Amino acid sequence: MRLIRNIAAFLAVPLVAASAYTLAKAFLAFTSESSAVYIPFWAGVFCYMIFQIVFYKPMRTYVFGHELTHAFAAILSGAKIKKFNIAKESGHVVVTKNNVWITLAPYFFPVYTFILIAVYLFAGWLMDISLLYSYFLFFAGISIAFHIALTVYIIGVGQPDLKVYGVFFSYVLIIAVNTAVFSLLAALVFPGEVGLKELYSAMYGNIRAFYMFIFEGIMRIITAFSEIGRAHV
């Protein structure tokens, strides 16, 4: 089964590369063209990174969110939570069943960011939140920087979650889902600037072009070898 997963992951590498390229290109375009309205977001990102570098990594907060995401994914998958333990540098959730989404969910689901968005949208049903948008952007920047920085950190020091379904397969799946999730986040946090439909459409176009490029290259190689073979007959 692991061999099949690795083959599937290998075949999905062009999909992941094209999706990540599309998202990165859209992000750079947004960064260069965004107005002063979005300065609070970048201020939030900057403030968190300075905080982590100068002071400390808030690992207990991250671990709680990490294990909470395992628990959320388990509940959505129909499992029950039997144990939920949090320590300063590690945590552990025991569930009645497991699958790839439960195991890897914390690596592509920034739980605090989505909680922030849910609270902000809920507040929007109750009152005028236009004056709160700058504060929302600031804390969105903090939560996203927090998630990315500490997720990269814990992956770097080693995570047993990644070994359950194979490290290579896990990396490919994590990057693939992250491109979809962060596209959604961009549309939610910057609704006036990022169109989800347009972004996903661009991803599809680049993915299709990438696979066509590979297919045409393989066909040219096969044709060249066929011509060499006929020449020696």
Side-chain angles (χ1 to χ4, degrees):
M1 191 65 180
R2 177 161 295 192
L3 176 62
I4 295 174
R5 285 197 295 266
N6 284 336
I7 292 173
F10 177 77
L11 294 175
V13 167
L15 179 151
V16 174
S19 299
Y21 166 78
T22 306
L23 182 60
K25 184 178 179 181
F27 178 75
L28 290 174
F30 168 76
T31 302
S32 62
E33 299 171 4
S34 61
S35 66
V37 174
Y38 303 110
I39 288 177
F41 175 81
W42 303 114
V45 172
F46 179 78
C47 286
Y48 175 75
M49 295 309 299
I50 293 299
F51 176 84
Q52 179 169 309
I53 293 169
V54 175
F55 296 101
Y56 77 108
K57 300 178 182 71
M59 288 304 300
R60 186 182 291 273
T61 304
Y62 179 83
V63 169
F64 177 78
H66 183 100
E67 302 304 332
L68 184 63
T69 307
H70 279 309
F72 280 158
I75 292 170
L76 292 174
S77 298
K80 294 181 179 180
I81 311 301
K82 298 179 68 176
K83 186 181 294 185
F84 189 95
N85 291 330
I86 301 297
K88 184 177 180 180
E89 294 286 338
S90 63
H92 185 59
V93 175
V94 178
V95 296
T96 54
K97 72 174 184 178
N98 203 3
N99 60 42
V100 66
W101 303 111
I102 296 172
T103 301
L104 299 180
Y107 303 97
F108 50 70
F109 187 83
V111 64
Y112 292 121
T113 305
F114 277 105
I115 290 174
L116 174 66
I117 291 171
V119 170
Y120 181 73
L121 294 177
F122 179 74
W125 292 337
L126 304 176
M127 60 182 181
D128 179 15
I129 57 173
S130 57
L131 296 178
L132 300 177
Y133 186 55
S134 294
Y135 297 99
F136 167 72
L137 287 175
F138 179 73
F139 287 107
I142 288 177
S143 65
I144 290 173
F146 166 85
H147 171 77
I148 293 174
L150 290 182
T151 298
V152 170
Y153 169 74
I154 66 164
I155 288 177
V157 300
Q159 285 295 299
D161 289 339
L162 304 182
K163 298 177 182 179
V164 175
Y165 293 94
V167 175
F168 176 65
F169 172 82
S170 297
Y171 274 128
V172 172
L173 183 62
I174 287 169
I175 296 172
V177 180
N178 265 305
T179 59
V181 169
F182 276 90
S183 297
L184 175 61
L185 281 177
L188 291 172
V189 176
F190 314 113
E193 299 289 338
V194 179
L196 192 60
K197 182 178 179 180
E198 292 77 9
L199 188 54
Y200 282 161
S201 177
M203 282 186 182
Y204 171 76
N206 286 335
I207 290 168
R208 185 175 183 276
F210 203 160
Y211 276 108
M212 286 299 298
F213 173 77
I214 294 172
F215 176 76
E216 290 172 0
I218 292 173
M219 293 306 296
R220 287 175 183 173
I221 292 172
I222 293 173
T223 300
F225 275 107
S226 298
E227 291 177 354
I228 293 173
R230 285 196 296 270
H232 285 80
V233 174

